[in-house]
Amino acid sequence: MRKIPAALLSLALTASLTAPLASAAGTGSTLPELDGHWSQSAFERWHAYGIVEGDSRGMRPDANMTVGEFAAILSRAMGYTETVKNPYADLKGTEWYAPYILQLTAAGILQGDGTNCNAEEPMNRERATVLFARALGIRPTAQPDLSGFVDGKDAADWSAGYIDAMAKDGIIQGVGNQTLALGSSITRGSVVKILDSSVAEYAVEEGATIDQDVDGILLVAADDITVDGAAVSGNLLVAPKAGEANLTVKNARLERDLRVSTHGATLTVADSQVEGDVALSGDRASLTLGSGAQLARLAVDGAGSSVSVKSGASVETLTARAAVKVDNQGAINKAEVQADN
């Protein structure tokens, strides 16, 4: 599997972002219309994955991105399939972007304004930051402090925590002069570049082994993936695109969260340390902690799941928010049971 480092997670929500990374499509240009554009390699990488598509006018990197287009990119990258009954007054359901809007709504990422989803309106920087954070498992700061930005006070209550978390992680820096410009529109090129720089490793090859350090987010979108001997500095996310994913983590160090949202996932962790949270939100998930596995916090939200803690493994805090079968032969320091059965 090709390794794509994310040494530059510090990026701005602006057209003048960091220099392009190497293209996943190879050295030859697959999108000649973008030759010389600062976002070319990002477009080529995610176009090769089938995530970014153009239209009869091409990729249009300098055009403003709409909410519907943004929803399509996130939904394709994560592989969302579950949907909800249409709650939006301005969505007929026949639009090309309607499935993506409803999939993001079902995933709890897109919430609209209470009445409309505004899918054909330009995406602004504030909303883009929040949707990226939600999709990539970045938790909002409980007490956000945006005083370092001259317009930080303009952030809404629903966005301030996410914006603060993204800024503290170096993912956004504003548009210069300590300005966030949250109400300004964001271009298609900027959105694709943010996705490209945020996701350091996109595991889409079934059966792949990741044995090199990942400086940023590792997004697992295929079955039967192994993380062996690697350190991951960002979140490790198992997306619905992975299906009934089998993930093995051994001899590794995860500095952030390990989040599994696919149903029927089988996860094995051995001789590894997870410094952030381990969250099983998909139903019927199975987690086995082998000897040497050390988890700070484990939360189970998916019904019908099971957790097996082998001898020599430890969990500091286990929180059961759904019915879960726990077989503990190791050490669980604290258990919080918030569900029946």
Side-chain angles (χ1 to χ4, degrees), residues 244-294:
E244 293 190 357
N246 292 287
L247 173 67
T248 300
V249 179
K250 56 184 180 180
N251 305 309
R253 186 179 79 255
L254 308 185
E255 299 176 10
R256 293 292 185 92
D257 296 349
L258 169 56
R259 296 180 175 270
V260 182
S261 58
T262 184
H263 298 308
T266 300
L267 174 63
T268 302
V269 180
D271 294 315
S272 299
Q273 181 178 4
V274 184
E275 299 175 12
D277 293 352
V278 176
L280 306 179
S281 58
D283 294 341
R284 307 181 312 280
S286 174
L287 169 62
T288 299
L289 300 179
S291 178
Q294 300 177 14

Side-chain angles (χ1 to χ4, degrees), residues 5-333:
L8 294 177
L9 271 180
S10 298
L11 51 92
L13 286 171
T14 177
S16 56
L17 297 175
T18 55
L21 301 176
S23 169
T27 57
S29 175
T30 59
L31 297 172
E33 66 181 275
L34 297 174
D35 282 352
H37 196 276
W38 56 268
S39 66
Q40 180 178 355
S41 66
F43 269 96
E44 289 183 338
R45 178 189 178 194
W46 293 97
H47 178 66
Y49 291 140
I51 306 303
V52 177
E53 298 179 356
D55 55 23
S56 60
R57 295 168 290 175
M59 292 294 172
R60 300 182 294 118
D62 297 317
N64 290 335
M65 175 165 280
T66 67
V67 173
E69 291 169 340
F70 192 96
I73 286 179
L74 283 188
S75 188
R76 289 171 186 155
M78 301 297 291
Y80 297 122
T81 57
E82 295 185 6
T83 187
V84 294
K85 183 179 179 181
N86 182 11
Y88 303 114
D90 62 347
L91 188 69
K92 296 178 181 178
T94 57
E95 303 90 345
W96 70 266
Y97 50 75
Y100 301 119
I101 292 288
L102 298 178
Q103 287 161 5
L104 258 66
T105 301
I109 295 172
L110 182 69
Q111 297 175 349
D113 61 10
T115 302
N116 299 316
C117 62
N118 305 304
E120 296 185 4
E121 296 296 319
M123 173 67 74
N124 65 33
R125 299 180 188 279
E126 181 174 33
R127 203 175 185 192
T129 303
V130 171
L131 267 64
F132 261 118
R134 288 174 179 165
L136 298 176
I138 297 174
R139 290 175 287 170
T141 303
Q143 295 181 327
D145 179 9
L146 297 175
S147 60
F149 297 98
V150 297
D151 58 348
K153 62 183 182 300
D154 296 336
D157 291 341
W158 56 266
S159 67
Y162 290 107
I163 294 168
D164 187 49
M166 295 276 275
K168 283 182 168 58
D169 281 353
I171 297 176
I172 62 169
Q173 293 180 321
V175 297
N177 299 320
Q178 289 77 50
T179 302
L180 289 167
L182 297 174
S184 299
S185 299
I186 187 169
T187 66
R188 292 165 57 87
S190 294
V191 168
V192 176
K193 185 59 182 176
I194 292 169
L195 176 64
D196 186 59
S197 299
S198 297
V199 180
E201 188 80 52
Y202 191 51
V204 292
E205 182 181 344
E206 184 174 341
T209 296
I210 298 169
D211 54 10
Q212 297 180 19
D213 291 352
V214 178
D215 185 13
I217 292 172
L218 167 57
L219 182 56
V220 174
D223 193 14
D224 197 20
I225 301 296
T226 299
V227 180
D228 187 359
V232 181
S233 66
N235 289 338
L236 196 168
L237 308 176
V238 181
K241 196 169 186 175
E244 293 190 357
N246 292 287
L247 173 67
T248 300
V249 179
K250 56 184 180 180
N251 305 309
R253 186 179 79 255
L254 308 185
E255 299 176 10
R256 293 292 185 92
D257 296 349
L258 169 56
R259 296 180 175 270
V260 182
S261 58
T262 184
H263 298 308
T266 300
L267 174 63
T268 302
V269 180
D271 294 315
S272 299
Q273 181 178 4
V274 184
E275 299 175 12
D277 293 352
V278 176
L280 306 179
S281 58
D283 294 341
R284 307 181 312 280
S286 174
L287 169 62
T288 299
L289 300 179
S291 178
Q294 300 177 14
L295 273 58
R297 294 171 298 275
L298 169 61
V300 181
D301 293 274
S305 297
S306 63
V307 173
S308 177
V309 183
K310 302 297 185 182
S311 177
S314 64
V315 178
E316 184 62 25
T317 301
L318 166 64
T319 302
R321 303 190 185 102
V324 53
K325 180 179 180 180
V326 179
D327 178 10
N328 178 32
Q329 304 300 322
I332 298 177
N333 186 53

